[in-house]
Amino acid sequence: MAQVLILYSTTDGHTIEICKRLEAVIAGEGDTVTLANLADKPTLDDYPFDKIVIGASIRYGKHQRLVNDFIAQNRAALEAHPNALFSVNVVARKPEKNTPETNPYLQKFLQKIDWVPQNLAVFAGKLVYPELGPFDRTMIRFIMWMTKGPTDPTGTYEFTDWNKVEEFGRLIARL
Ligand SMILES: Cc1cc2nc3c(=O)[nH]c(=O)nc-3n(C[C@H](O)[C@H](O)[C@H](O)COP(=O)(O)O)c2cc1C
């Protein structure tokens, strides 16, 4: 039985939902899981762990800066353990952009960081138009219109393939 540490970065909470699903799958396979928010500036010394996973969502083309910072500061510890990284974004709703190799945000991010994660995943995210402020709602509707996505401002759209999330959970349990 291994201890799995999942560190996440989220703005609106969907990445936490993905982490919770991973936790349920991994715990079901017998490992113990701890979730920690990168925004709380966690220190790895505070967590006993055998495997480490980082998950982060995209906002206006980027993961939060604190994800890059955490990776830069903890590269040696990441490399010393079985590890994985996943990105959450709505571009990944498109079949041609939903793999680590084809998702432009993940590819760009990998070029920016020094760490080479052993395992990668991309999950399509969720849009809750009514919960967005007017600026973000307008911007995202425009981006969705440009990319042939849903634009109903009263709509909630979850694009996440939960089977894919669960498959990634099983992969982490096998590391
Ligand atoms: C203001 C805003 C900007 C976003 N920008 C992008 C983007 O540039 N590219 C993209 O693919 N998804 C973008 N998204 C979609 C988010 O990545 C998606 O909603 C994800 O589920 C958010 O996860 P979180 O709730 O954990 O932050 C954006 C969403 C919002 C609300």
Side-chain angles (χ1 to χ4, degrees):
M1 190 175 106
Q3 308 226 40
V4 181
L5 176 60
I6 304 181
L7 300 153
Y8 61 86
S9 157
T10 181
T11 304
D12 294 324
H14 192 61
T15 303
I16 302 174
E17 297 308 313
I18 291 174
C19 289
K20 284 183 187 162
R21 184 67 68 96
L22 290 174
E23 178 182 25
V25 171
I26 296 166
E29 299 287 326
D31 285 354
T32 304
V33 181
T34 304
L35 303 184
N37 189 344
L38 284 171
D40 295 333
K41 302 266 185 320
T43 304
L44 288 181
D45 293 341
D46 295 340
Y47 297 94
F49 66 94
D50 307 300
K51 314 175 191 179
I52 187 162
V53 180
I54 295 181
S57 65
I58 288 283
R59 209 168 172 93
Y60 293 124
K62 292 181 177 171
H63 298 102
Q64 289 186 33
R65 175 82 221 167
L66 53 79
V67 184
N68 303 56
D69 293 346
F70 182 88
I71 290 169
Q73 287 155 13
N74 295 281
R75 184 181 153 196
L78 292 169
E79 286 175 346
H81 297 83
N83 63 67
L85 170 79
F86 68 89
S87 177
V88 181
N89 54 78
V90 291
V91 157
R93 77 189 187 282
K94 297 190 166 251
E96 70 277 16
K97 293 185 179 168
N98 76 354
T99 69
E101 295 74 27
T102 59
N103 187 260
Y105 299 119
L106 184 56
Q107 281 301 316
K108 207 167 139 195
F109 186 68
L110 291 172
Q111 282 167 17
K112 277 200 192 150
I113 57 174
D114 276 341
W115 170 45
V116 181
Q118 292 167 349
N119 300 278
L120 294 166
V122 180
F123 303 123
K126 180 179 178 181
L127 290 177
V128 187
Y129 280 120
E131 288 184 5
L132 297 179
F135 176 81
D136 287 338
R137 185 159 52 236
T138 305
M139 291 295 287
I140 300 304
R141 287 184 72 211
F142 179 66
I143 293 167
M144 281 292 135
W145 177 74
M146 297 275 289
T147 59
K148 300 184 170 43
T151 56
D152 176 356
T154 65
T156 291
Y157 302 97
E158 186 179 273
F159 302 105
T160 313
D161 179 344
W162 292 104
N163 289 330
K164 198 171 153 184
V165 174
E166 290 179 2
E167 194 181 309
F168 191 59
R170 287 190 289 274
L171 183 148
I172 293 165
R174 288 197 301 270
L175 293 179

